[in-house]
Amino acid sequence: MDWRPLMRLARRMLGHVAAGITAMRAGRTEAGSRQAPVIACGSHGRGDGQFIEPRSLAIEPGGSLLVVDTGNEPIQRFSRDGVFQSGWGGQGTGPGEFTYIHGVAVDPSGDVYVTETGGAKRVQRFSPSGRFRDAWAAPGIVSGTEFEKEVAPFVTAGMVLQGPQAIAVGPDGTINTSWTHLSNGLIRVLSSWICCQAPDGVATGSISKIASDGGHAYEIAGLAVDRTGSMVIAETDRYAMDDDGDSRLEIVVGGLPDQSSSPIAPISPFASFGIGRRGTGADEFMRPAGVAFGWDGAIPVADAGLNRVQKLDPDGRPMATWGLPCGVQCVPGMDASEAPAGSGHGEFSSPRGIAVHDDGTMFVSDTGNHRIVRIDLD
């Protein structure tokens, strides 16, 4: 007799009980926090200060907030209090234009980097005032290079190279971007990697996550780098249909070693550890999309699958949660669309971006509600 179906059913029943307990715990954590989320800016539309699908966020050296909007395409700048200041860009493939804009980051000098998942599938760099500087596509994927040889089997097999998604700039100016290969039916992720580049766009290293089991690799949906160079990576299995999938954070401690002599090999060794797993409880994730580092080393996470924001301490222990409690209907293996969403204060719908101001204030792109939410420090 095949006992596996019964074992899976038992795990799901236990998941109902565990989810109910963790939901009550999460509710107590949220209720005990004095950090009340407030709507900072935004409404549905295409005008200044409006959004269709706000995604990634970045804080500039002067404290202003940058927002990239996948639905509208331009970059918008706001004050800390949510007042619209300026914006640039529009739909297209030319310099300063965007097609499916995805990520945004700012380097120590104030230059702005933007990723495009579609169209030209590139990274564009701008001055702080929004003047176009330069752009590049996937580095090293040119005929005859070692990097091209590494990805050639995927391209030859009809795999689709998705444009860069998450982006983060380190304290030394190193640009880190995540890239993904999808199957030709866009069904699963076959390889993903983080490319590390010098400020001039030259590749200096990479972390590869190539599927080796005939299945799929995990998509890298979020990146952040702190003042020491340590990196947090949000990894999500967006195609998992059962309990076998996983979602987690990976912390790379102390940054990545220089690998400019052999930039296409997976970086090794580097110290890292994982946080969380796929699930609905505290320090668990369904679709972690946005991550950041706080001034105190805390790690806030925007979970688009569970419609909530979690704040973890540097060791991955839960500190606070915002969003509707998941409830007993949220069990491992469910469709993420079943997680409760809301549009009221303290509620989220598919949050995908997060950024932290130097004073500890958190900003969240509440994508499904077309707005930016601010969570003030106690």
Side-chain angles (χ1 to χ4, degrees), residues 276-326:
R277 61 181 180 178
R278 184 178 174 86
T280 62
D283 77 0
E284 295 181 336
F285 315 100
M286 192 64 68
R287 210 173 276 177
V291 289
F293 278 108
W295 62 272
D296 56 353
I299 304 169
V301 185
D303 192 330
L306 293 180
N307 300 306
R308 72 181 181 185
V309 174
Q310 285 197 76
K311 184 179 180 181
L312 310 176
D313 72 12
D315 295 319
R317 292 185 292 264
M319 298 175 66
T321 303
W322 297 270
L324 289 171
C326 201

Side-chain angles (χ1 to χ4, degrees), residues 116-131:
E116 296 173 76
T117 305
K121 300 180 180 179
R122 62 188 174 180
V123 179
Q124 292 194 69
R125 176 166 49 189
F126 301 88
S127 71
S129 64
R131 181 173 57 86

Side-chain angles (χ1 to χ4, degrees), residues 32 47 53 73 96-97 130 140 189 192 198 202 208 223 227 232-233 242 276 291 299 303-304 311 316 321 340 342 370:
E53 192 177 339
E73 303 297 354
E97 298 176 334
V189 175
S192 60
V202 175
S208 297
L223 289 176
R227 293 181 176 88
V232 57
I233 306 168
D242 55 30
V291 289
I299 304 169
D303 192 330
K311 184 179 180 181
T321 303
H370 320 289

Side-chain angles (χ1 to χ4, degrees), residues 46-98:
R46 297 189 178 277
D48 292 344
Q50 294 185 310
F51 309 109
I52 299 296
E53 192 177 339
R55 203 172 191 101
S56 298
L57 309 174
I59 303 292
E60 296 186 286
S64 295
L65 175 70
L66 293 177
V67 183
V68 296
D69 185 346
T70 302
N72 275 335
E73 303 297 354
I75 302 170
Q76 298 191 65
R77 175 183 285 121
F78 297 86
S79 70
R80 184 189 179 283
D81 296 324
V83 177
F84 174 80
Q85 295 179 326
S86 62
W88 71 88
Q91 189 169 21
T93 58
E97 298 176 334
F98 309 106

Side-chain angles (χ1 to χ4, degrees), residues 239-264:
Y239 301 107
M241 300 303 291
D242 55 30
D243 294 351
D244 296 331
D246 201 7
S247 295
R248 67 169 194 165
L249 306 183
E250 183 175 1
I251 308 295
V252 179
V253 182
L256 305 174
D258 182 16
Q259 206 179 24
S260 55
S261 60
S262 179
I264 56 91

